[in-house]
């Protein structure tokens, strides 16, 4: 059997089927995330920082304010998440998951509509299985231990940006969509300008190679448009960094950037620093190998015409993003014992490289699709199957904190994360769940890590001294092995109630809610 070129009247039905299948798989995935969230697998503080920062302005607090670092706008330009702040304000973590689901659904639907108009259906199915919903995609969107970061929006927004860019190339009426999607990428985080610039320049290189089939890609640097795009995005990136310096009332780089540059200057002479960075670099490359091999497969179907230039563009763009990620990751060297987990392969960083890989593949197909030769169905199925399956051991090697069989088994075999079960006696959990249901919305609480997901719609406080308001309620393990009571930011006066595993501290104003929860 040989795959054929798309039929003029078949594109719409292919698009409908692809969109329906991807929607169903996305729904199942985010349903799985809800199960994991309710089972208390996402207890690290990052997600709860962003839940507060994205919606606290709706309670009259400063823009991007949260209870760990305080003014989050002094650390990152995470302004895009304010757009889905109302969803988060209403539904907490579920609102963040919903926003991500809707962005993926929209971007995939529009992507498949465009691909089905230009290319045979097997191209879209292969992309879906290998890149858009494959094991690597599953891992970093599941985001073990944390659950959600605003940077995870980079992938769907990058797809929308590329489609708008492709539309502008054919018709200027897409300019508004191009500007909107470009702005959204920039406002996800300060490195969004770097990602947007790499996407834009990569697509421009693809168009240049198509228009100049007998030239190498180096000729593009002599064109005026190349430099306008490069300088334009560089100015946007610099403006974002200057804005961060302004927010810190300083002419110097943002404090974390200073910390990263210091760590690099000191660590570059240390064997341990070099060894760790080479290890995570190898792991990062391995995670990108399936996407790169898929690019090679498509190049093979084009007869490897201009393959050297096409591969070079891909590598250069990835290196630019890699360097940015490395600098940011170095912030944690020497200060975080889990540096290898928050370095280059950390989902909020790796997603930039993955988004670039996906969009480069899509851009190459949109620009060079007419060159694709027909491919045998067995070859396509074999390549797709191998590139899908090989991702599982790659993820296991690159991320020792994630193991597919364990993740899938534990999610359905246990009511809660089995690691946390010793600190989750049913009697205490019942009282705590009743208490959560009884509390007024957006209450100020100070609770032990494992219990934070129960209070995702409230203002949890961490012992950093940056809370906006003191707590009316605190729940701490009886043995207080984290010494949380030493810095307990409670309003005075308060009384204490001891449960089997936890001690609850409550102010008079919130005592009725606790009494209601303690009733049999």
């Amino acid at each position: 059997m040989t795959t054929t070129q798309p039929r003029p009247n078949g594109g719409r039905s292919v698009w409908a089927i692809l969109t329906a299948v991807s929607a169903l798989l996305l729904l199942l995935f985010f349903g799985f995330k809800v199960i994991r969230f309710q089972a208390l697998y996402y207890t690290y503080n990052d997600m709860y920082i962003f839940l507060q920062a994205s919606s606290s302005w709706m309670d009259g607090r400063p823009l991007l304010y949260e209870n760990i670092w305080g003014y989050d706008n002094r650390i990152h330009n995470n302004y895009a998440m304010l757009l889905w702040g109302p969803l988060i304000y209403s539904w907490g973590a579920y609102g963040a998951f919903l926003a991500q689901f809707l962005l993926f659904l929209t971007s995939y639907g529009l992507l498949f509509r465009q691909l089905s108009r230009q290319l045979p259906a097997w191209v879209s199915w292969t992309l879906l299985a290998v890149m858009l919903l494959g094991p690597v995609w599953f891992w970093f969107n599941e985001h073990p231990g944390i659950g959600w970061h605003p940077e995870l929006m980079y992938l769907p927004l990058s797809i929308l940006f590329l489609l708008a860019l492709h539309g502008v190339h054919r018709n200027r009426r897409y300019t508004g969509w191009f500007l909107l999607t470009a702005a959204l990428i920039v406002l996800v985080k300060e490195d969004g300008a770097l990602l947007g610039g790499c996407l834009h320049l990569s697509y421009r290189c693809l168009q240049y190679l198509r228009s100049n089939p007998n030239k190498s890609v180096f000729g593009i640097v002599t064109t005026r448009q190349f430099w306008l795009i490069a300088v334009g995005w560089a100015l946007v990136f610099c403006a974002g960094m200057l804005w961060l310096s302004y927010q810190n009332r300083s002419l110097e780089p943002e404090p974390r950037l200073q910390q990263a540059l210091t760590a690099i200057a000191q660590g570059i002479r240390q064997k341990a620093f070099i060894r760790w960075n080479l290890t995570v670099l190898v792991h990062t490359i391995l995670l990108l190998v399936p996407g790169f091999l898929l690019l090679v497969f498509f190049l093979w179907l084009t007869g490897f015409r201009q393959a050297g230039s096409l591969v070079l563009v891909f590598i250069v763009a990835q290196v630019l993003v890699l360097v940015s990620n490395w600098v940011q990751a170095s912030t944690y060297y020497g200060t975080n014992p889990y540096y290898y987990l928050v370095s280059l392969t950390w989902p909020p960083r790796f997603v930039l490289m993955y988004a670039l890989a996906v969009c480069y593949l899509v851009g190459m197909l949109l620009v060079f699709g007419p060159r694709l030769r027909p491919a045998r169905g067995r070859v396509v199925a074999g390549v797709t199957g191998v590139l899908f399956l090989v991702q599982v051991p790659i993820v296991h090697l690159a991320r020792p904190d994630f193991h597919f069989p364990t993740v899938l088994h534990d999610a359905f075999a246990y009511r809660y994360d089995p690691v946390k079960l010793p600190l989750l006696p049913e009697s205490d959990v019942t009282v705590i769940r009743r208490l959560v249901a009884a509390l007024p919305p957006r209450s100020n609480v100070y609770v032990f890590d494992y219990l934070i997901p129960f209070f995702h719609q409230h203002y949890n406080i961490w012992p950093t001294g940056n809370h906006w308001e003191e707590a009316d309620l605190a729940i701490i393990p009886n043995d207080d092995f984290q010494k949380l009571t030493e810095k307990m930011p409670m309003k005075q006066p308060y009384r204490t109630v001891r449960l089997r595993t936890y001690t609850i501290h409550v102010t008079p104003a919130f005592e009725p809610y606790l009494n209601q929860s303690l009733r049999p």
Side-chain angles (χ1 to χ4, degrees), residues 432-506:
I432 292 168
R433 293 178 72 93
R434 288 177 184 170
L435 184 55
V436 171
L439 289 178
R442 318 286 286 183
S443 297
N444 296 287
V445 300
Y446 180 69
V447 302
F448 174 60
D449 294 357
Y450 290 3
L451 307 178
I452 290 176
F454 290 133
F455 295 86
H456 66 107
Q457 290 184 270
H458 297 281
Y459 286 112
N460 190 64
I461 297 169
W462 286 264
T464 59
N466 292 315
H467 51 279
W468 184 255
E469 185 178 342
E470 291 185 323
D472 285 285
L473 175 77
I475 307 177
I476 298 171
N478 292 336
D479 59 3
D480 193 16
F481 62 94
Q482 291 182 325
K483 309 299 181 184
L484 296 176
T485 54
E486 293 180 2
K487 296 182 179 181
M488 189 166 63
M490 282 290 294
K491 295 175 182 176
Q492 300 288 341
Y494 62 87
R495 80 178 184 94
T496 297
V497 175
R498 188 180 178 92
L499 304 179
R500 174 182 168 186
T501 302
Y502 293 97
T503 299
I504 299 178
H505 308 272
V506 62

Side-chain angles (χ1 to χ4, degrees), residues 26-39:
L26 285 169
L27 193 61
L28 290 173
F29 172 76
F30 283 99
F32 179 74
K33 279 186 73 76
V34 168
I35 291 173
R36 295 269 289 173
F37 172 73
Q38 293 178 343

Side-chain angles (χ1 to χ4, degrees), residues 75-88:
I75 303 173
H76 295 302
N77 294 332
N78 296 135
Y79 295 100
M81 66 182 178
L82 297 173
L83 297 174
W84 32 90
L87 291 176
I88 293 172

Side-chain angles (χ1 to χ4, degrees), residues 213-280:
N214 298 318
K215 295 183 179 180
S216 75
V217 73
F218 293 106
I220 196 173
V221 299
T222 64
T223 65
R224 180 171 176 266
Q225 190 175 31
F226 174 86
W227 290 107
L228 285 175
I229 295 171
V231 172
W233 280 104
L235 289 174
V236 172
F237 176 77
C238 291
M241 298 307 296
L242 287 173
W243 176 253
L244 279 176
S245 294
Y246 171 75
Q247 293 297 307
N248 285 278
R249 305 296 188 268
S250 172
L251 294 177
E252 297 180 348
E254 184 270 327
R256 289 197 181 187
L257 177 57
Q258 295 183 52
Q259 184 179 340
L261 295 176
T262 300
I264 292 172
Q266 296 174 350
I268 202 69
R269 297 183 295 271
Q270 300 173 10
K271 291 183 179 180
F273 179 82
I274 296 173
R275 182 176 65 253
W276 273 120
N277 280 281
L278 286 177
T279 300
V280 295

Side-chain angles (χ1 to χ4, degrees), residues 198-465:
C198 288
L199 290 170
H200 198 167
L201 286 172
S202 297
Y203 182 81
R204 177 58 193 150
C205 288
L206 291 172
Q207 290 291 354
Y208 176 84
L209 289 170
R210 181 186 179 186
S211 302
N212 300 274
N214 298 318
K215 295 183 179 180
S216 75
V217 73
F218 293 106
I220 196 173
V221 299
T222 64
T223 65
R224 180 171 176 266
Q225 190 175 31
F226 174 86
W227 290 107
L228 285 175
I229 295 171
V231 172
W233 280 104
L235 289 174
V236 172
F237 176 77
C238 291
M241 298 307 296
L242 287 173
W243 176 253
L244 279 176
S245 294
Y246 171 75
Q247 293 297 307
N248 285 278
R249 305 296 188 268
S250 172
L251 294 177
E252 297 180 348
E254 184 270 327
R256 289 197 181 187
L257 177 57
Q258 295 183 52
Q259 184 179 340
L261 295 176
T262 300
I264 292 172
Q266 296 174 350
I268 202 69
R269 297 183 295 271
Q270 300 173 10
K271 291 183 179 180
F273 179 82
I274 296 173
R275 182 176 65 253
W276 273 120
N277 280 281
L278 286 177
T279 300
V280 295
L281 174 62
V282 170
H283 290 164
T284 303
I285 293 172
L286 285 174
L287 288 166
L288 292 172
V289 162
F292 179 76
L293 292 178
L294 186 59
L295 172 64
V296 172
F297 176 63
F298 287 135
L299 290 175
W300 173 64
L301 291 177
T302 65
F304 285 116
R305 293 175 59 188
Q306 297 174 289
S309 290
L310 290 168
V311 170
L312 179 63
V313 173
F314 176 84
I315 292 174
V316 170
Q318 290 287 5
V319 168
L320 290 174
V321 175
L322 176 70
V323 170
S324 172
N325 284 351
W326 176 64
V327 172
Q328 294 182 67
S330 297
T331 302
Y332 300 97
Y333 184 78
T335 62
N336 191 322
Y338 299 104
Y339 170 72
Y340 67 100
L341 293 179
V342 296
S343 186
L344 298 177
T345 62
W346 197 39
R349 270 184 265 283
F350 176 76
V351 66
L352 282 88
M353 302 188 72
Y354 197 85
L356 183 57
V358 168
C359 290
Y360 189 79
L361 270 169
V362 171
M364 193 275 288
L365 290 168
L366 292 176
V367 175
F368 291 97
R371 292 187 184 179
L372 288 179
R373 301 192 309 263
R376 292 186 177 276
R378 284 180 294 183
V379 173
V380 172
V383 169
T384 302
V386 169
L387 294 183
F388 178 91
L389 293 174
V390 76
Q391 295 180 46
V392 175
I394 287 177
V395 170
H396 291 169
L397 175 63
R399 294 295 301 192
D401 61 331
F402 191 87
H403 188 253
F404 279 100
T406 302
V407 168
L408 296 173
H409 171 268
D410 290 355
F412 299 102
Y414 300 98
R415 175 66 182 89
Y416 298 111
D417 181 354
V419 174
K420 302 180 176 75
L421 280 176
L423 287 171
L424 296 172
E426 186 61 34
S427 58
D428 287 25
V429 170
T430 299
V431 172
I432 292 168
R433 293 178 72 93
R434 288 177 184 170
L435 184 55
V436 171
L439 289 178
R442 318 286 286 183
S443 297
N444 296 287
V445 300
Y446 180 69
V447 302
F448 174 60
D449 294 357
Y450 290 3
L451 307 178
I452 290 176
F454 290 133
F455 295 86
H456 66 107
Q457 290 184 270
H458 297 281
Y459 286 112
N460 190 64
I461 297 169
W462 286 264
T464 59

